[in-house]
Amino acid sequence: MAKIVGGITTSHIPAIGIAMAKGLQEDPYWKPFFDGYKPIQAWLENVKPDIAVIVYNDHGLNFFLDTVPTFAIGAAPHYQNEDEGWGIPVLPTVQGNPEFSWHLIESVMAEEFDLTMCQEMVVDHGLMIPMTLMWDHTKSWPVEVVPLAVNVVQHPLPTAQRCYKLGQALGRAIEAYGEDKKVVVFGTGGMSHQLQGERSGFINKEFDRMFMDKMVDDPEALAKLTMTEFLDQSGSEGAELIMWLVMRGALSEKVNLLHSNYHVPISNTAAGVMLLENTD
Ligand code: DHB
Ligand code: FE
């Protein structure tokens, strides 16, 4: 049977890709951020997951504002990266696993989550930056990927509660897969940030710290946050945090926190990284 070996949260800020391409990992601005990933890279190297389910958001590359699915899942044999205008190097194509994707789709749909199914999908910084931070990627990637895109761009967004419940259905679906596969689930984006309007540059460290604490032992409280509370307390793009709740929902009720790092700011954004493991 497939097994969820862990859950990871990570930022997806485009500037990270540019910093990596320029080799700035030891630069004083970047070092405290990149150092926060070393324990997770070592854990991945040791655990060697077969598949990564990456909950991310598309920023207008595959879905533009004319057609925005609330939840969309990839069922393609591969996902090509394209840079949507940030000047990030285009990275090797990511391999999919259509059989596993279709299993997830069938299980989750049976639990009344109506996903948009994508047999072709291009992926932007929302998916690629998290991967870049985890694995060496000069030629290819060491995992197969299932992209799960959540709309955090065009209001109304799905509620935090809906995202958490989708995660629970996803967790059940993953663990019901008949083949022995080690699966890691990613929740990407966040933390507090606002890229637009009068409050652009807004960051709320207190909210972020609270969010990281409750990701471990009280995710139900986070799932009760309304979209207005997210917008007010974490900024308009801080609402990306609902994607962390999909990942958290997929894990067991009790989890062990294996590693976390919070660094602020990177570009315009507070960056949080966490590694969680199921207790059962
Ligand atoms: C930044 C953050 C994002 O979440 C994003 O999608 C693009 C840019 C930033 O902080 O620069
Ligand atoms: Fe983003």
Side-chain angles (χ1 to χ4, degrees):
M1 302 295 280
K3 187 172 164 37
I4 298 177
V5 290
I8 294 174
T9 71
T10 174
S11 171
H12 67 215
I13 307 163
I16 298 164
I18 295 163
M20 289 192 85
K22 290 186 178 163
L24 296 179
Q25 288 90 333
E26 295 298 316
D27 178 274
Y29 177 82
W30 288 101
K31 189 172 167 45
F33 168 79
F34 281 115
D35 281 355
Y37 284 83
K38 287 180 180 165
I40 302 196
Q41 290 157 354
W43 179 87
L44 286 165
E45 186 60 37
N46 183 39
V47 173
K48 292 194 176 22
D50 303 296
I51 303 177
V53 177
I54 303 187
V55 185
Y56 77 111
N57 70 292
D58 181 274
H59 295 75
L61 179 73
N62 196 80
F63 307 112
F64 200 59
L65 293 179
D66 54 347
T67 312
V68 183
T70 299
F71 298 117
I73 188 165
H78 47 76
Y79 305 95
Q80 199 178 311
N81 173 221
E82 286 176 22
D83 172 41
E84 79 283 19
W86 295 94
I88 317 171
V90 170
L91 294 165
T93 295
V94 175
Q95 297 309 308
N97 181 331
E99 193 189 308
F100 184 67
S101 285
W102 284 114
H103 164 81
L104 297 184
I105 292 166
E106 281 176 23
S107 309
V108 165
M109 295 278 273
E111 295 206 41
E112 301 177 354
F113 288 91
D114 307 321
L115 308 178
T116 299
M117 299 162 271
C118 305
Q119 296 187 66
E120 283 182 17
M121 211 176 186
V122 285
V123 287
D124 71 11
H125 71 270
L127 184 129
M128 295 311 293
I129 296 292
M131 290 196 65
T132 312
L133 282 162
M134 302 298 151
W135 292 288
D136 175 56
H137 50 275
T138 36
K139 289 204 182 81
S140 61
W141 302 95
V143 282
E144 294 171 337
V145 168
V146 178
L148 175 49
V150 177
N151 167 33
V152 294
V153 171
Q154 169 77 65
H155 287 266
L157 312 188
T159 62
Q161 191 71 257
R162 186 76 176 147
C163 290
Y164 186 62
K165 287 184 178 165
L166 171 63
Q168 290 174 321
L170 184 70
R172 286 188 284 272
I174 293 170
E175 301 226 310
Y177 190 62
E179 252 183 81
D180 287 339
K181 294 278 185 193
K182 288 184 269 184
V183 181
V184 62
V185 185
F186 282 68
T188 70
M191 299 196 78
S192 60
H193 67 302
Q194 173 140 353
L195 302 178
Q196 54 190 311
E198 280 177 21
R199 276 208 318 175
S200 95
F202 173 81
I203 281 177
N204 184 347
K205 289 186 200 171
E206 212 175 297
F207 176 86
D208 291 336
R209 293 256 181 232
M210 177 282 293
F211 201 94
M212 288 178 89
D213 287 347
K214 289 200 173 8
M215 275 290 285
V216 181
D217 52 23
D218 196 5
E220 306 254 342
L222 300 177
K224 289 196 183 91
L225 289 168
T226 65
M227 196 43 66
T228 309
E229 286 168 330
F230 269 106
L231 297 179
D232 183 37
Q233 293 175 49
S234 71
S236 53
E237 278 65 48
E240 290 180 344
L241 283 168
I242 58 175
M243 298 184 290
W244 289 29
L245 289 173
V246 179
M247 178 280 271
R248 184 61 185 86
L251 300 187
S252 58
E253 212 177 304
K254 298 229 174 310
V255 290
N256 295 321
L257 173 66
L258 298 185
H259 173 70
S260 76
N261 188 52
Y262 179 67
H263 181 69
V264 59
I266 284 297
S267 190
N268 306 293
T269 305
V273 57
M274 303 179 81
L275 170 59
L276 305 173
E277 186 186 55
N278 282 346
T279 51
D280 49 37

